[in-house]
Amino acid sequence: MRTQVCIIGGGPSGLLLSQLLHRKGVDSVVLERKSRAYVLARIRAGVLENGTVELLREAGVGSRMDKLGIVDEGIVIGAEKHGFRIDIKALAGKPMMVWGQTEITQDLYDARDAMGGVVIDEAEAVTPHDLDTDAPYVTWVKDGTEHRVDCDWVAGCDGFHGVSRQSIPKDVLKEYERVYPFGWLGILSETPPVTHEILYASHSRGFALASLRNENLSRYYVQVDQGDVVENWSDARFWDEFRTRIPAYMAERLVTGPSIEKSIAPLRSYVAEPMRWGRLFLVGDAAHIVPPTGAKGLNLAASDVHYLYDALTAHYLDDEDGGVETYAEKASARVWKATRFSWWFTTMMHRFPEQSEFDRRMQETELDFLEGSQAAQLALAENYVGLPL
Ligand code: FAS
Ligand code: PHB
């Protein structure tokens, strides 16, 4: 088999890149190690930057989002007893879109099928070869048979635990990491959301977040200790804790119900460089992980896809390699800015074990300053809605 771009990973990064390239006549093969059902069962991101919304429309997968997605113009910050709103759209000039990653992945799978895109599921032992030559290739095993695809480029869209980043020599790869001493326990419940604008609540008992997927599907999170497990959290315990941490005016109207999904995600900031080695490009979670506080993970994946899509279409359609040569530098610069914002927002909003009284007062003062400063709110708004691509 031969293709122009071999894409390892069939999550949002891989499927979106494949879809965009195909619409420009650039051929790709997607190799995904899990089944579609497994990929679609993962509950992840919910808030889209404006740039991501535009890219999904360009890929031809925006119609359900435009019909069913919720356009949000602000967020609410909870500060122990009260809350205040930040008018993101008035400050940064653009709104956000609340539309679940699961829906995006479903739309991308459907679009790939409709265009006859090649997405090979349950591909085992996917292995890139000869990445530092002009003739890379990728092998995999499916139903016990080994397969090979020769290609011009390999896009490593295989997430944090994928094979692509591991293919960069140890003496070339530089890694930067901060692991946070807490995680997020998230639930989905078929209940009317307590708020239509995302709530980020800072409370002495810990952080909480209120989000939604639609008018009867709420997505809520509470900060939990590092190493905590879902088995420690009955629905009743979750609801009590969540109700305590959100502003009183929201707690009064909270509708609770059984969780239909409940999981704990660890929080880390992680960046790998370079995002290109030879004929391999790293895209999305394969290259970086951010704490979900700033709603940047999926959006950063989309911005990497934007840069690589531009680069590869210029390479094939205009015989121009400026984008290929500058992909790593441009994508990485934007990754670091989103990493900074996610770290800043996480540090301000969460309780750190053993934090000093001084640190606690700094957090309270940071929130107090944010509430009263137009400049501070503008800085948050610009980052939240997405810095320019
Ligand atoms: P993904 O990890 O989504 O996809 C990679 C794909 O590659 C997977 O399907 C995997 O099966 C496949 N793969 C891995 N190794 C392979 C191999 N060797 N061969 C073939 N295929 C392989 N982001 C937000 O913005 N907001 C959130 O609230 C949020 N919550 C999250 C909660 C959790 C628990 C996690 C883990 C992440 C969350 N994220 C959130 C971030 C998340 O949305 C990612 O940024 C997003 O999935 C990135 O997409 P991809 O880069 O495609 O990586
Ligand atoms: C979500 O809807 O899952 C969500 C929203 C905002 C975040 C993180 C997660 O910052």
Side-chain angles (χ1 to χ4, degrees):
M1 186 193 279
R2 184 174 219 308
T3 189
Q4 290 170 309
V5 185
C6 178
I7 297 171
I8 303 177
S13 296
L15 294 171
L16 180 55
L17 179 62
S18 175
Q19 177 67 9
L20 285 162
L21 290 175
H22 197 164
R23 287 166 64 93
K24 286 287 175 90
V26 178
D27 192 45
S28 66
V29 168
V30 177
L31 300 173
E32 166 54 49
R33 89 170 149 193
K34 298 290 186 185
S35 68
R36 287 196 181 192
Y38 185 95
V39 175
L40 290 168
R42 292 192 295 233
I43 307 297
R44 289 191 170 169
V47 174
L48 306 183
E49 293 176 0
N50 189 261
T52 304
V53 168
E54 296 301 335
L55 200 60
L56 291 171
R57 289 175 182 149
E58 183 174 351
V61 293
S63 55
R64 272 200 328 134
M65 170 186 70
D66 287 329
K67 210 177 319 162
L68 303 170
I70 296 163
V71 177
D72 261 4
E73 300 193 350
I75 62 172
V76 178
I77 303 287
E80 199 75 18
K81 299 267 181 289
H82 77 295
F84 60 94
R85 181 174 184 268
I86 297 183
D87 192 335
I88 301 282
K89 178 145 187 275
L91 287 160
K94 294 176 281 192
M96 300 74 68
M97 175 78 79
V98 178
W99 181 238
Q101 178 171 323
T102 309
E103 305 298 341
I104 295 170
T105 311
Q106 181 62 66
D107 285 345
L108 283 166
Y109 268 133
D110 293 347
R112 292 285 63 221
D113 292 346
M115 286 187 74
V118 181
V119 179
I120 298 169
D121 302 307
E122 297 175 299
E124 296 163 9
V126 174
T127 311
H129 304 268
D130 293 355
L131 292 169
D132 54 350
T133 74
D134 290 347
Y137 65 97
V138 180
T139 55
W140 72 96
V141 173
K142 174 128 183 165
D143 304 330
T145 306
E146 173 150 303
H147 300 269
R148 165 174 170 151
V149 60
D150 290 88
C151 52
D152 301 328
W153 305 96
V154 177
C157 301
D158 47 350
F160 186 65
H161 302 289
V163 65
S164 300
R165 192 179 64 249
Q166 320 302 335
S167 306
I168 299 180
K170 291 271 172 282
D171 62 345
V172 172
L173 189 71
K174 269 191 80 53
E175 299 177 280
Y176 307 83
E177 184 171 49
R178 165 166 293 192
V179 176
Y180 298 91
F182 40 74
W184 279 18
L185 166 65
I187 72 156
L188 264 184
S189 66
E190 288 170 328
T191 53
V194 75
T195 171
H196 279 84
E197 293 189 326
I198 314 290
L199 164 73
Y200 294 86
S202 166
H203 189 276
S204 51
R205 293 180 63 84
F207 172 78
L209 184 145
S211 182
L212 65 159
R213 292 293 178 268
N214 61 46
E215 295 305 329
N216 199 44
L217 192 58
S218 298
R219 178 64 167 166
Y220 297 139
Y221 300 89
V222 293
Q223 171 187 345
V224 294
D225 294 341
Q226 196 170 36
D228 203 346
V229 291
V230 174
E231 290 68 28
N232 292 340
W233 287 85
S234 67
D235 284 2
R237 184 186 174 198
F238 176 87
W239 290 120
D240 285 348
E241 199 56 49
F242 182 73
R243 184 184 288 108
T244 303
R245 296 186 188 184
I246 64 177
Y249 75 93
M250 286 194 187
E252 282 155 19
R253 67 185 191 220
L254 177 67
V255 176
T256 66
S259 61
I260 58 172
E261 193 273 349
K262 186 158 47 177
S263 56
I264 291 180
L267 267 62
R268 76 175 77 235
S269 295
Y270 172 88
V271 181
E273 289 180 329
M275 288 179 64
R276 175 192 172 194
W277 183 69
R279 292 290 176 130
L280 170 69
F281 298 103
L282 295 183
V283 182
D285 278 18
H288 41 75
I289 296 285
V290 284
T293 323
K296 290 295 151 217
L298 177 59
N299 291 296
L300 264 188
S303 74
D304 294 348
V305 166
H306 160 84
Y307 290 126
L308 189 52
Y309 159 57
D310 274 0
L312 290 174
T313 43
H315 170 80
Y316 283 111
L317 277 60
D318 311 327
D319 194 20
E320 196 276 306
D321 274 353
V324 162
E325 296 311 324
T326 58
Y327 167 78
E329 180 195 343
K330 277 200 297 193
S332 207
R334 197 169 188 281
V335 164
W336 277 109
K337 292 190 183 82
T339 298
R340 181 210 68 83
F341 172 67
S342 305
W343 159 81
W344 167 79
F345 206 7
T346 300
T347 302
M348 178 171 70
M349 299 300 287
H350 288 73
R351 283 304 153 276
F352 286 69
E354 288 106 53
Q355 79 183 121
S356 67
E357 269 311 295
F358 175 82
D359 292 342
R360 182 74 196 101
R361 292 305 296 266
M362 283 297 99
Q363 286 180 319
E364 287 169 358
T365 308
E366 184 87 41
L367 270 174
D368 191 23
F369 175 66
L370 178 64
E371 184 171 6
S373 163
Q374 177 94 350
Q377 293 192 13
L378 174 58
L380 185 150
E382 285 184 341
N383 280 280
Y384 194 83
V385 80
L387 295 176
L389 283 166

